[in-house]
Amino acid sequence: YIFDVKKTEDKVLISLQQEDRRRSKKVGKGDNITIGFEIFKVEDNRIYRLHKLTVQERVATSPYINTRNVFLKKILKQGRYILIPTTYLPGIAAKFILRLFTDVPSKLRELTADKPEMTCWSLLCGYPRRITQIKIHSAEGLQEQDGSSGADPYVLIKCENQKVRSSVEHNTTSATFNTQVIFYRKNIDSPVIVQVWNSNILCDQFLGQALLAASPSDPREQQTLQLRGRGSQEAEEVPGHITVKVFSTDDLVEL
């Protein structure tokens, strides 16, 4: 299940309730099952099921107990989250009711698709050949704007015809974003573009960009890249650098 936290921080209450099993006591199945759930922070634009838990940040785990209801209250930061209800022992199926309460609507919904659907239209427009996850940690050493002591930076990640924008960090030249995105890429030769912009009331200012080949053979460790002007990878350097982590694979259900 997936849900969104819209506020900068929101107090989230989750309730997982299993079916009443007392009527099954006559056949020896009246005991409650040990249940619980896990919550992971995922990419801001994820719309498909989660396949690899080790590349995601686990932000909360409920108690695993054999009661009818399991509750958890947690303050979560703005972003998108995956909630996975589970039994403690593997291979046990059970019916349940999942409830989630937040201050503003969270759009809790079930994820059913593992990857983009192959359709007749895919034969004409192409089908994704690679999946890329990008985590933007921070941007530092940015150029001061408007004669002030800082800037109001945000990052814009572009891949083919898709764009994802982070929140704005105010009055700083060294911003921490902790933004992550995921792209299903058709044209694997086209780089992913990570741009840094300064937010203004009338017109935002371009501060620099980094081009990512995002190949499966690229290092998967966190790396710091110099910002450059618009154009190719050899464009003129501009003040600032950005710290990112890239994970690419040609297996569309690995992430």
Side-chain angles (χ1 to χ4, degrees):
Y1 293 84
I2 194 168
F3 66 94
D4 298 307
V5 173
K6 298 294 187 180
K7 298 170 61 177
T8 303
E9 284 188 344
D10 202 349
K11 185 181 295 183
V12 179
L13 175 63
I14 304 104
S15 167
L16 179 65
Q17 177 180 328
Q18 60 181 300
E19 64 178 335
D20 189 351
R21 301 174 63 85
R22 289 176 294 181
R23 57 187 175 183
S24 302
K25 282 187 176 181
K26 293 182 179 179
V27 293
K29 297 181 179 179
D31 295 333
N32 287 322
I33 298 171
T34 302
I35 60 172
F37 53 86
E38 312 279 340
I39 302 177
F40 296 86
K41 192 175 189 306
V42 297
E43 303 86 357
D44 294 342
N45 60 336
R46 175 174 284 274
I47 57 174
Y48 298 107
R49 291 170 65 92
L50 192 61
H51 301 99
K52 192 170 187 176
L53 303 183
T54 56
V55 297
Q56 305 293 349
E57 178 188 1
R58 189 193 308 263
V59 296
T61 300
S62 76
Y64 278 80
I65 49 180
N66 61 341
T67 58
R68 180 86 188 278
N69 293 280
V70 176
F71 296 94
L72 179 70
K73 184 186 294 184
K74 182 75 174 179
I75 295 178
L76 297 178
K77 295 182 179 180
Q78 186 177 29
R80 180 160 291 184
Y81 295 85
I82 290 284
L83 193 157
I84 305 177
T86 69
T87 57
Y88 183 74
L89 297 176
I92 299 177
K95 295 180 180 179
F96 61 88
I97 297 175
L98 178 64
R99 298 182 178 94
L100 185 141
F101 303 90
T102 54
D103 286 345
V104 296
S106 60
K107 296 183 179 179
L108 177 68
R109 64 267 192 203
E110 183 181 5
L111 290 182
T112 58
D114 289 304
K115 59 183 179 180
E117 182 182 4
M118 175 71 79
T119 64
C120 296
W121 190 250
S122 303
L123 300 176
L124 297 175
C125 299
Y127 186 76
R129 300 162 56 194
R130 180 169 296 167
I131 180 174
T132 295
Q133 179 197 65
I134 300 175
K135 296 182 179 181
I136 310 295
H137 177 262
S138 61
E140 299 178 339
L142 302 175
Q143 187 173 11
E144 295 181 358
Q145 301 296 310
D146 303 325
S148 65
S149 59
D152 297 325
Y154 64 88
V155 291
L156 183 66
I157 306 104
K158 300 180 179 180
C159 180
E160 299 177 14
N161 61 344
Q162 305 173 68
K163 296 180 182 180
V164 180
R165 173 177 164 166
S166 75
S167 57
V168 177
E169 300 296 320
H170 295 283
N171 197 31
T172 180
T173 57
S174 297
T176 299
F177 296 105
N178 286 328
T179 295
Q180 53 180 336
V181 295
I182 190 167
F183 295 113
Y184 291 80
R185 302 164 60 195
K186 299 176 183 178
N187 183 4
I188 60 176
D189 296 323
S190 177
V192 179
I193 304 174
V194 180
Q195 296 181 334
V196 183
W197 289 78
N198 178 53
S199 178
N200 280 321
I201 296 177
L202 297 179
C203 183
D204 294 351
Q205 294 171 296
F206 175 78
L207 298 182
Q209 69 178 23
L211 304 184
L212 306 175
S215 168
S217 60
D218 289 348
R220 295 181 177 180
E221 296 79 17
Q222 187 168 282
Q223 52 186 315
T224 299
L225 305 174
Q226 176 66 46
L227 291 178
R228 297 180 179 273
R230 285 190 175 94
S232 68
Q233 188 68 47
E234 304 304 321
E236 182 180 358
E237 293 184 0
V238 297
H241 52 268
I242 190 165
T243 302
V244 303
K245 189 175 183 180
V246 183
F247 187 115
S248 290
T249 175
D250 292 339
D251 182 356
L252 298 185
V253 293
E254 184 173 348
L255 294 176

